[in-house]
Amino acid sequence: MATFLYKLGRLSFRRRHFVALIWVALLTLAGVGAASAPAAGNSSFSIPGTEAQKAFDLLEQRFPGTSADGATARVVFKAPSGEKMTDPGNKATVQETVKELSDGSEVVRVTDPYQAKAVSKDGTIAYAQVSYKVSGMELDDAAKDALKDSAQDAREAGLTVEIGGDALQAVPHTGSSEIIGIAVAAVVLVITFGSLVAAGLPLLTALIGVGIGVSAITGLASALDLGSTTSTLAMMIGLAVGIDYALFIVSRYRAELAEGREREEAAGRAVGTAGSAVVFAGLTVVIALVGLSVVNIPMLTKMGIAAAGTVAIAVLIALTMVPALLGYAGRKVKPMGEKGKLLGRAKKKDQPAKPNLGTRWASFVVRRPVAVLLLGVIGLGAAAVPAASLELGLPDDGSQPTSTTQRRAYDLLSEGFGPGFNGPLMVVVDAKGSDDPKAVFAETGDEIKGLKDVVTVTPAQPNKAGDTATITVIPGSKPSSVTTENLVHGIRDAGAGIKADTGANVLVTGSTAMNIDVSEKLNDALVPYLVLVVGLAFLLLIVVFRSILVPLKAALGFLLSVMAALGAVVAVFQWGWLSGLMGVEQTGPVMSMMPIFMVGVVFGLAMDYEVFLVTRMREAYVHGEKPAQAVVTGFRHGARVVTAAAVIMMAVFAGFIGSSESMVKMIGFGLAIAVFFDAFVVRMAIVPAVLALLGRKAWWLPKWLDRALPNVDVEGEGLRTASGDDDRELARV
């Protein structure tokens, strides 16, 4: 592989005009496609195989035209102090609002609070429910504006009016902090390279890659039902790895220049060596992201594949566009050890080489491996403690900021009707095979009334055929509580008994039941996902490092860092520690997909640092250095760059903490803190300590496996042999 990439790097350097033209053309093509494509909002949410989804599908068949997945809005009214909603003036205002709401072309029906008995017991709060033909993401702006205008008219009449439900879904924004993240990355690059030109190369190539990836996602969003969160994730991952991959190749290019090589040759060798590490690091990220499809949640699968595509583009750009731009830069990119005038730290020719910080740190770890190892493991273990209290759930209006009308409507409904009113359960009774459907409907309602935490059970509403009915159940607890989850399971257990007696199917659905099913599905998929992704990456790393213990150590270190990161997420988003600093207005359960998502993404990123840092160590070891000295050599060449890469990745991820979307905010924080733990604790401390303790055993590989594995030559040994640079005898491994 190193030889092929070496030739590719030299070709890209030599034919830089052609390479640059190809990437600019692709960026232009993707941009035009994105600009001309129809807009798409949040993607539709379906969970194949769950009971809640089966109930939704059944409703579509048995209740045609009811738009079971259509958007809903709850317009909540509160009377002024000292008045009631049943007062003639307030009642007239509400009825006028209901009339206005009914005029919309996409409206299926609007319930009158006074006819539907949707007035609180104390008479101060009432609500009207609006049902639409289409989902929230398909609802046009005119319908949303009409909803807001109707509420405003009622406010002007003296009522407090708030709107809940999914009809007012908004596309999330990330805010200015995303730009701050890129600015921090630029500063780190300037400090690392001491040159604006060298620092600008990784930023430029990363932006081109992200531009192509996100534009392609935007162009295909409507056709493939890709939501706004999909492009945000692709941007987040693409920027981080795009900058890092280019950083490693530019750094290696400068190192090759420092050894006296011509610029074209240096570019070829940089791509042949660091580029090989980029390929395998990118492969681990792609494996982790594409592996999310095993969960069988379409939205998660699309997010993973889209982000993986952006990572693949970042790898290709690093291998071709970076050497091409190095060709354009010429002598403006200086050899390693020579700083530009920008920082004024050029090394004098006669000045002896001073050990850098990476060398000094690695030497310390090699001398005190047990102490460093224990300190790192205990520290990460302490950070992981909050993860034992992890509570999972999906966000609802109760997790929205208090500044939103959705959250205020949620609070008003809880005040007037109880916390469970915001999470009604819909029970679908399929009595098509029963002799007496009406009796089954009545029996089901009676069974549910006898369960704990049930406040209200509405009479069964049958369809025209009379073989299927819906029953609405109002729990006594809030939607995200364990008590409500137990009630859902209790209804399903009672339904199993009804099916045994009558043959009728009883299914529980609604947003609350769907959230519960999603959480359980994700929990069930976590172990198979770990086995698949870690297993495939483990095999890949065996090929890269030609060792058993190094990949095993990499996997165990990853588990430490991801558990510590989950602990930090729980502490901030569930317990509320530093919530004000992070802009978390409402604490609550951690998003259900966060653990499995973090496992996927963090594993891929963790393997990046493992590959980049440890390949330098192996390169030194196979060329004759003792194991302890190889660790120090690896740090001398790679620690500064890995540190810069980690800081850049943390800055990019942290930039998304400013998003208005709680899911994006949580992902941004989780990935940023995970990179910190993995890069600075696991890879910079635990890894060298373990390698120092293992010595030569770290690079042991059974002879039969050594013969069976392909030689991918990540260290670029083929390049050394071909050029005659190094005729030293290789150490046996």
Side-chain angles (χ1 to χ4, degrees), residues 374-390 557-573 575 577 598 669-670 673-674 676-678 681-682 686:
L374 289 176
L375 186 62
V377 171
I378 292 172
L380 290 179
V385 169
S389 302
L390 178 67
F558 150 73
L559 291 175
L560 275 174
S561 57
V562 79
M563 288 304 298
L566 275 176
V569 169
V570 170
V572 173
F573 290 88
W575 291 359
W577 293 5
M598 280 189 65
F669 171 80
I673 197 70
F676 171 77
F677 286 143
D678 195 85
V681 181
V682 174
I686 294 177

Side-chain angles (χ1 to χ4, degrees), residues 460-502:
Q461 300 293 322
N463 62 350
K464 290 182 179 180
D467 58 7
T468 307
T470 59
I471 300 172
T472 301
V473 180
I474 306 298
S477 304
K478 63 180 182 179
S480 59
S481 68
V482 176
T483 308
T484 301
E485 182 178 347
N486 292 336
L487 175 59
V488 170
H489 290 302
I491 296 173
R492 288 173 174 169
D493 291 340
I498 292 171
K499 182 176 182 180
D501 295 338
T502 66

Side-chain angles (χ1 to χ4, degrees), residues 48 93 170-171 206 212 235 288 327 333 353 380 392 445 451 497 500 503 534 597 607 645 655 727:
T93 300
V171 176
I212 294 172
M235 182 188 304
V333 177
L380 290 179
L392 298 176
L451 297 175
V534 177
F597 184 79
M607 294 307 104
D727 24 71

Side-chain angles (χ1 to χ4, degrees), residues 23 201-202 204-214 234-249 275 278-279 281-283 285-286 289 306-323 605 608 612 649:
W23 285 113
L201 289 180
L204 178 60
T205 54
L207 289 173
I208 291 173
V210 167
I212 294 172
V214 172
M235 182 188 304
M236 187 189 301
I237 304 294
L239 266 178
V241 301
I243 294 173
D244 279 7
Y245 293 167
L247 167 64
F248 282 110
I249 289 180
V278 165
V279 169
L283 271 176
V285 180
V286 168
L289 290 170
T310 307
V311 171
I313 293 172
V315 171
L316 292 174
I317 282 186
L319 298 178
T320 56
M321 186 72 167
V322 169
L605 300 180
D608 278 5
F612 289 128
M649 198 172 279

Side-chain angles (χ1 to χ4, degrees), residues 191-202:
I191 293 173
T192 302
F193 292 133
S195 163
L196 289 174
V197 174
L201 289 180

Side-chain angles (χ1 to χ4, degrees), residues 359-373 631 635 684-690 692-693:
T359 302
R360 296 196 298 273
W361 168 249
S363 299
F364 170 78
V365 174
V366 168
R367 290 196 306 270
R368 301 285 189 275
V370 175
V372 172
L373 178 61
V631 171
F635 266 75
M684 291 290 186
I686 294 177
V687 165
V690 171
L693 288 171

